């Protein structure tokens, strides 16, 4: 079956079934996870938490052993999420999964949203000054026009 023949799923008919949120450890991404968790809880949706590991080519060129470091970051993020989930267990029940993708943040989130069949995408606002000129991941996701995107400050 080719991509053109593949059956398409219907988005947003009864509210989101999969809420995808990008997490990189920044304050805004942590707020985005909290917001997305509330949305997923209210909609009885799956919360897909995605960490995008940076491309290895850039770090390898600099001679930095990033592969192990990004794995450690992903493991630390999972531990923090599990700890937070345990603290609210019984008060707020949310089904969630943690996924790691490789690539630049935009491409990684797009790939994740496509593979996980996300109905909604939540990201934290960029805190980098250069993104006001070049454009942030959030702006690029909104311009892609494939999913409803919520940007959390």
């Amino acid at each position: 079956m080719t991509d053109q023949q593949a059956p398409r799923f219907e988005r947003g008919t009864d509210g989101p079934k999969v809420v995808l949120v990008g997490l990189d450890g920044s304050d805004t991404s942590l707020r985005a996870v909290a917001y997305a968790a509330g949305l997923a809880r209210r909609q009885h949706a799956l919360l897909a938490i995605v960490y995008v590991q940076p491309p290895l080519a850039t770090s390898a060129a600099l001679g930095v052993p990033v592969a192990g470091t990004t794995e450690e970051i992903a493991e630390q993020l999972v531990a923090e999420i599990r700890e937070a989930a345990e603290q609210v267990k019984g008060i707020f029940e949310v089904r969630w999964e943690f996924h790691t993708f490789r690539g630049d943040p935009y491409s990684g989130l797009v790939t994740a949203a496509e593979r996980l069949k996300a109905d909604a995408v939540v990201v934290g606002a960029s805190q980098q000054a250069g993104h006001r000129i070049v454009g942030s991941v959030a702006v690029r996701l909104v311009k892609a026009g494939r999913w409803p995107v919520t940007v959390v400050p």
Side-chain angles (χ1 to χ4, degrees):
M1 205 179 242
T2 66
D3 288 338
Q4 292 176 349
Q5 296 171 335
R8 306 226 2 127
F9 66 97
E10 190 173 354
R11 289 191 176 117
T13 55
D14 295 323
K17 299 295 181 210
V18 177
V19 176
L20 183 139
V21 61
L23 175 65
D24 63 7
S26 67
D27 289 343
T28 58
S29 76
L30 293 171
R31 286 192 295 270
V33 170
Y35 180 89
L39 177 63
R41 179 184 55 81
R42 289 186 300 277
Q43 296 292 330
H44 305 287
L46 173 67
L47 177 64
I49 303 168
V50 176
Y51 169 64
V52 180
Q53 293 180 326
L56 297 178
T58 305
S59 51
L62 299 173
V64 179
V66 173
T69 304
T70 59
E71 291 294 332
E72 289 173 20
I73 292 169
E75 289 171 15
Q76 184 179 13
L77 290 171
V78 170
E80 289 175 19
I81 294 165
R82 285 201 173 112
E83 181 182 325
E86 283 299 315
Q87 290 175 0
V88 296
K89 193 172 187 178
I91 301 170
F92 300 111
E93 292 295 328
V94 176
R95 293 180 303 124
W96 62 276
E97 300 174 348
F98 184 84
H99 300 271
T100 302
F101 288 82
R102 288 198 187 277
D104 68 274
Y106 171 76
S107 297
L109 289 174
V110 167
T111 299
E114 289 172 348
R115 287 188 187 165
L116 301 171
K117 296 191 181 343
D119 295 299
V121 176
V122 180
V123 292
S126 175
Q127 296 176 315
Q128 296 180 3
H131 285 170
R132 293 183 188 147
I133 299 165
V134 178
S136 67
V137 170
V139 169
R140 292 175 67 193
L141 287 167
V142 169
K143 286 182 178 181
R146 294 157 97 176
W147 314 272
V149 177
T150 301
V151 182
V152 178

